[in-house]
């Protein structure tokens, strides 16, 4: 099916661009916590787009089942890893860079 | 074709993340970058598996996803406590 | 036995389906080996005493789907937002650190809430406590969005009974 093929190209292309955007993001942002947004947020969707796109290419088979399993695992573990990183950084007394005109800052 | 381009894009992302891992001012930046390299490696293995048509390689990607998550959490625990004990066991 | 038998049965079924999906072999010898390994895993889980409502959430069922669709939309919106900020020249972010109340009763609902915060519009949950969650937001808009409580309301309450 040419339609599914093209759809999978679309997904994989979008995933690739998203990955590169995340890579640029971790260089553009000024401090650790904002880099966490760039990496953590794009990671999930990038992986999702890639794996769904690849699953379309392989069709209904054991391979696509495994790809979807990887997707499910990454979907649950990626935010957990982000949270663990942020939590560890906060416990390690890493001060975030905050906006000055900020109404309610937490110490 | 698109798969080869995607593999190259993933490699570029890994290069960017590695640069951050080497530069990273704080330790947490480095762990973040390494975590990102790990996730992208999973995707790279999956893409290469489909590209080469040897789909049994996807098993390796699956295992790598599991190991990567456990590895990151283990490193964080090491950073946080200085050892691998469970959080309640020290002092 | 501290847990109902249906947990054991459903765990076995899920594990066996997982084995089938991962192996892709259907010959009688290999399938019987798969059944043996499934039973072994269930036995080990039983000995480790980890078959409970947390490791195998049998009560999380169809109600999840509506929340997943909501979450998928939010994730895509979050990514577009972050990408816009990555490529916007000059000063592009205004980080905030805010504390939000957590009203969820169960651990599972609180964890789902914190994970959803991490996944969506430029916000990462930094610290999760009993009745509050500290959130680092990439922008003022993201912080306001969370304060409005739309996310907290979207998490279905009724399926996460203890």
């Amino acid at each position: 099916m040419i339609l599914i093929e093209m759809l999978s190209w679309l997904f994989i292309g979008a995933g690739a661009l998203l990955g590169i955007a995340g890579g640029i993001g971790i260089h553009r942002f000024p401090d650790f916590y904002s880099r966490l947004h760039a990496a953590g947020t794009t990671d999930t969707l990038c992986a999702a787009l890639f794996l769904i796109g690849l699953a379309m290419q392989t069709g209904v088979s054991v391979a696509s089942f495994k790809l979807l399993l990887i997707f499910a695992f990454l979907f649950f573990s990626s935010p957990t890893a982000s949270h663990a990183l942020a939590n560890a950084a906060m416990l390690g007394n890493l001060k975030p860079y905050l906006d000055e005109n900020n109404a309610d800052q937490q110490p | 074709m698109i798969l080869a381009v995607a593999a190259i894009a993933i490699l570029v992302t890994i290069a960017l993340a590695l640069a951050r891992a080497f530069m990273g001012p704080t330790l947490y930046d480095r762990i973040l970058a390494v975590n990102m390299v790990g996730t992208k490696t999973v995707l790279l293995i999956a893409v290469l598996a489909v590209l080469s048509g040897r789909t049994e390689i996807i098993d390796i990607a699956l295992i790598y996803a599991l190991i990567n998550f456990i590895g990151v959490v283990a490193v964080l625990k090491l950073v946080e406590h200085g050892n691998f004990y469970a959080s309640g066991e020290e002092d | 036995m501290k847990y109902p038998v249906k947990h054991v049965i459903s765990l076995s079924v899920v594990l066996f389906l997982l084995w089938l999906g991962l192996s892709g072999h259907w010959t009688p010898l290999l399938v019987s080996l798969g059944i043996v390994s499934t039973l072994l895993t269930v036995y080990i889980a039983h000995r480790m005493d980890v078959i409970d409502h947390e490791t195998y959430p049998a009560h999380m069922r169809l109600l999840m789907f509506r929340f997943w669709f909501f979450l998928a939309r939010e994730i895509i919106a979050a990514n577009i937002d972050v990408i816009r900020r990555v490529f916007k020249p000059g000063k592009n972010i205004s980080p905030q650190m805010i504390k939000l109340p957590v009203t969820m009763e169960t651990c599972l609902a609180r964890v789902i809430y914190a994970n959803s915060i991490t996944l969506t519009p430029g916000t990462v949950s930094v610290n999760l406590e009993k009745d509050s969650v500290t959130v680092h937001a990439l922008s003022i808009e993201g912080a306001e969005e969370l304060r409005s409580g739309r996310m907290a309301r979207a998490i279905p309450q009724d399926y996460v009974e203890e």
Side-chain angles (χ1 to χ4, degrees), chain C residues 67 69-75 77-78 100-101 103-104 113 116-117 120-121 141-157:
Chain C
F67 177 61
F69 278 118
F70 168 80
L71 201 59
R73 266 214 318 278
E74 293 288 301
I75 288 171
L100 292 168
T103 51
M104 289 85 197
Y113 184 44
S116 312
I117 287 175
T120 51
E141 299 89 65
E144 288 306 320
E145 167 80 29
L146 269 186
R147 251 203 219 100
S148 72
R150 205 160 64 85
M151 170 77 78
R153 277 197 303 277
I155 293 176
Q157 293 286 325

Side-chain angles (χ1 to χ4, degrees), chain A residues 20 67 77 82 90:
Chain A
I20 291 181
L67 286 170
S77 78
S82 292
M90 206 190 72

Side-chain angles (χ1 to χ4, degrees), chain A residues 18 20-22 24-26 28-31 33-38 40-46 62 65-66 69 75-76 78-80 82-84 86-88 90-91 96-106, chain C residues 17-18 20-24 26 68 71-72 75-76 78-79 82-83 85-99 114-116 118-120 122-129 134 136-138 140 147:
Chain A
L18 201 59
I20 291 181
I24 296 171
I26 61 171
R28 281 269 291 149
F29 285 161
D31 80 323
Y33 290 96
S34 39
R35 277 176 209 142
L36 191 61
H37 292 288
T41 319
T42 54
D43 248 12
T44 319
L45 190 61
C46 173
V62 174
F65 175 75
K66 285 174 191 162
L69 209 61
F75 185 78
F76 288 114
S78 171
T80 312
S82 292
H83 171 79
N87 198 6
M90 206 190 72
L91 291 178
Y97 154 84
L98 293 177
D99 205 26
E100 312 84 42
N101 50 13
N102 181 350
D104 86 19
Q105 287 199 7
Q106 291 294 321
Chain C
L17 289 180
L18 188 68
L20 274 184
L22 284 178
S23 76
W26 300 88
W68 279 349
L71 201 59
I75 288 171
I76 292 168
N79 278 275
V82 169
I83 292 169
R85 283 171 201 285
V86 166
F87 289 111
K88 206 160 132 195
K91 189 174 178 307
N92 44 13
I93 56 171
S94 50
Q96 314 275 312
M97 204 74 142
I98 61 169
K99 208 165 189 168
N115 261 5
S116 312
T118 305
L119 278 168
T120 51
T123 49
V124 169
S125 57
V126 177
N127 198 7
L128 180 64
E129 281 149 32
T134 310
H136 183 270
L138 198 53
I140 296 175
R147 251 203 219 100

Side-chain angles (χ1 to χ4, degrees), chain B residues 30-53:
Chain B
R30 295 177 209 271
I31 301 176
L32 173 69
V34 168
N35 182 27
M36 198 168 166
V37 171
T39 319
K40 293 298 179 295
T41 308
V42 173
L43 296 182
L44 184 63
I45 296 171
V47 168
L48 290 182
V50 176
L51 184 62
S52 65

Side-chain angles (χ1 to χ4, degrees), chain A residues 9 12 16 19-20 22-24 26-27 32 35-36 39 43 47 50 54 63 66 70 73 77 84-85 88-89 91-92 94, chain B residues 2-3 6 9-10 13 16-17 19-20 26 28-29 32 36 39-40 43 46-47 55 58-59 61-62 65-66 69 76 80:
Chain A
W9 287 6
I12 293 174
I20 291 181
I24 296 171
I26 61 171
H27 285 270
F32 164 72
R35 277 176 209 142
L36 191 61
D43 248 12
F50 257 108
L54 288 177
K66 285 174 191 162
I70 297 176
F73 181 75
S77 78
L85 257 167
L91 291 178
L94 184 68
Chain B
I2 185 88
L3 288 176
I10 294 175
T13 314
L16 286 167
R20 177 49 77 194
T26 66
Y28 303 106
D29 284 302
L32 173 69
M36 198 168 166
T39 319
K40 293 298 179 295
L43 296 182
V47 168
T55 45
I58 295 174
D59 284 350
L62 189 57
L66 298 168
F69 175 65
L76 284 173
E80 214 175 306

